[in-house]
């Protein structure tokens, strides 16, 4: 029996673990893939307070070492089911069943991908899914951004501030974003809008070299030579197994300002929650808040 089981080993989950362990609570973290979350794949992180620059892998590794030194237990297992019985949570994984007094969900999100050759291989080598995280690395360079909704246009505006040119490619002949964003993008002289284009091929060996698009109307191919490709075609939460225990909004978990869900004893943090800002610093903040109020909850069910 653990005080808290944390489902997900990214920054928000490890932040919650850190603060719970410092309060003397026992913690088990269950992670189905790799510890560190999406940030572990980032070549450089430069927006963490007091840390000038660190690789995502080093940040994740240092965080992991910090919480394990305090006594956190980790298991690489996929959670399949969570049930609450008499104020005790039973967590079934693909290998075991665990019990705890509280749960913190920190499952993050998956970026939607095109799932074409070289996309995964060149992630961090010219391909990124976060302009806020990686855009500054392409200062004075030509980059491409694919997407047509609010996030894509926000990324385009951000990149236009320091990139030489931003080639904005969309699959359809219109945007699905707020008008104010569309209007702002159209005023940027270094943003070149290309519509009705489908990504066909990503070319590069050790780094991104060029892209091949197909015009959906003429069916003709065109090449684009750029240093960076930013993909902003959506994010996919992974919260279906919790749907009977939490409220979902478009798949994201609804929480209050204490990171509480509708089920007492279940908290949710980080990118898997229904929020407007998804960055490492906000994820860490969520984890700290959840740990604080999880402590209150644990005292109430003694």
């Amino acid at each position: 029996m653990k005080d808290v089981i944390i489902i997900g080993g990214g920054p928000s989950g490890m932040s919650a673990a850190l603060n719970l362990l410092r309060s003397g609570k026992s913690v088990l973290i269950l992670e189905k893939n790799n510890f560190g979350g999406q940030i572990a794949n980032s070549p450089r992180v430069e927006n963490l307070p007091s840390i000038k620059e660190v690789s995502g892998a080093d940040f994740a590794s240092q965080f992991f070492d910090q919480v394990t030194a305090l006594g956190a237990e980790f298991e690489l297992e996929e959670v399949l089911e969570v049930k609450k019985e008499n104020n005790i949570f039973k967590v079934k994984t693909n290998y075991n069943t665990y019990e705890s007094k509280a749960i913190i969900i920190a499952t993050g999100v998956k970026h939607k991908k095109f799932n074409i050759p070289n996309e995964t291989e060149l992630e961090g080598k010219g391909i990124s899914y976060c302009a806020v995280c990686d855009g500054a690395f392409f200062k004075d360079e030509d980059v491409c951004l694919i997407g047509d909704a609010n996030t894509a246009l926000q990324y385009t505006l951000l990149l236009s501030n320091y990139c030489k040119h931003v080639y904005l490619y969309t699959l359809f002949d219109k945007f699905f974003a707020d008008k104010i964003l569309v209007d702002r993008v159209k005023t940027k002289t270094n943003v070149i809008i290309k519509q009705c284009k489908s990504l066909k091929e990503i070319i590069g060996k050790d780094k991104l070299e060029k892209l091949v698009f197909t015009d959906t109307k003429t069916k003709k191919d065109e090449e684009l030579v750029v240093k960076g490709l930013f993909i902003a075609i959506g994010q996919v939460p992974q919260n279906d197994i919790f749907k009977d225990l939490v409220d979902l909004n478009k798949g994201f978990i609804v929480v209050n300002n204490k990171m509480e869900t509708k089920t007492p004893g279940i908290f949710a943090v980080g990118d898997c929650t229904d929020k407007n800002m998804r960055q490492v610093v906000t994820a860490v903040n969520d984890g700290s808040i959840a740990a604080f109020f999880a402590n209150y909850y644990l005292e109430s069910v003694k």
Side-chain angles (χ1 to χ4, degrees):
M1 170 73 70
K2 292 291 183 287
D3 288 321
V4 182
I5 290 177
I6 299 173
I7 304 171
S12 62
M14 288 197 285
S15 173
L18 173 65
N19 288 277
L20 287 164
L21 291 162
R22 286 172 56 84
S23 300
K25 301 300 186 293
S26 59
V27 174
L28 169 64
I29 302 179
L30 299 172
E31 166 60 50
K32 71 175 181 178
N33 293 318
N34 298 311
F35 295 106
Q38 294 178 33
I39 196 65
N41 297 319
S42 180
R44 281 182 288 174
V45 183
E46 297 180 331
N47 59 350
L48 294 173
S50 82
I51 300 176
K52 184 177 180 181
E53 178 183 316
V54 64
S55 73
D58 284 346
F59 170 73
S61 178
Q62 291 170 25
F63 212 162
F64 179 84
D65 290 344
Q66 184 180 22
V67 295
T68 51
L70 288 172
E73 295 181 32
F74 281 85
E75 296 292 345
L76 281 171
E77 299 178 21
E78 181 179 1
V79 173
L80 304 176
E81 184 181 57
V82 177
K83 288 185 177 180
K84 184 178 184 180
E85 298 176 1
N86 299 320
N87 282 336
I88 297 299
F89 292 97
K90 294 186 178 182
V91 180
K92 181 182 178 182
T93 74
N94 51 341
Y95 293 109
N96 297 291
T97 298
Y98 302 96
E99 293 186 347
S100 67
K101 300 172 185 175
I103 297 285
I104 296 179
I105 301 169
T107 49
V109 293
K110 294 190 300 183
H111 290 289
K112 285 186 180 178
K113 296 188 175 185
F114 289 103
N115 295 316
I116 63 176
N118 260 352
E119 182 178 3
T120 299
E121 290 79 3
L122 293 180
E123 184 174 346
K125 300 175 182 178
I127 295 180
S128 173
Y129 298 85
C130 180
V132 177
C133 309
D134 303 324
F137 303 139
F138 296 90
K139 184 178 179 181
D140 298 326
E141 302 284 3
D142 288 341
V143 299
C144 175
L145 190 140
I146 303 176
D148 54 23
N150 282 343
T151 297
L153 269 62
Q154 288 167 343
Y155 280 0
T156 298
L157 291 168
L158 177 66
L159 292 168
S160 71
N161 291 328
Y162 37 73
C163 293
K164 184 178 180 181
H165 295 102
V166 182
Y167 293 88
L168 175 58
Y169 276 70
T170 68
L171 181 60
F172 302 102
D173 60 357
K174 61 181 179 179
F175 292 107
F176 299 88
D178 294 339
K179 185 178 183 299
I180 189 171
L181 290 175
V182 176
D183 291 344
R184 287 180 62 197
V185 164
K186 289 181 176 179
T187 66
K188 295 290 184 176
T189 57
N190 63 335
V191 173
I192 298 92
I193 299 172
K194 298 274 194 172
Q195 297 190 305
C196 299
K197 308 291 184 181
S198 175
L199 180 63
K200 178 181 180 181
E201 192 175 358
I202 297 171
I203 298 173
K205 188 175 181 181
D206 298 318
K207 62 180 180 179
L208 176 66
E209 296 174 9
K210 61 182 177 180
L211 305 167
V212 179
F213 290 88
T214 300
D215 189 292
T216 60
K217 293 182 178 180
T218 66
K219 306 304 178 184
K220 292 182 179 179
D221 290 346
E222 63 180 59
E223 293 186 352
L224 177 68
V225 177
V226 287
K227 294 288 187 179
L229 167 62
F230 292 86
I231 300 172
I233 56 175
Q235 294 178 316
V236 183
Q238 307 167 80
N239 298 321
D240 285 348
I241 63 171
F242 311 116
K243 62 184 179 182
D244 294 332
L245 297 168
V246 303
D247 288 327
L248 299 177
N249 180 26
K250 297 181 180 178
F252 293 95
I253 299 174
V254 177
V255 295
N256 61 17
N257 60 3
K258 300 177 182 179
M259 301 293 121
E260 296 170 323
T261 68
K262 73 175 184 180
T263 300
I266 297 185
F267 301 79
V269 296
D271 289 1
C272 70
T273 63
D274 185 23
K275 60 190 295 187
N276 294 317
M277 188 72 164
R278 292 182 171 88
Q279 284 194 275
V280 176
V281 288
T282 62
V284 170
N285 177 65
D286 289 352
S288 298
I289 294 171
F292 183 86
F293 289 103
N295 269 314
Y296 271 99
Y297 172 79
L298 291 170
E299 292 297 323
S300 72
V301 295
K302 273 187 175 180

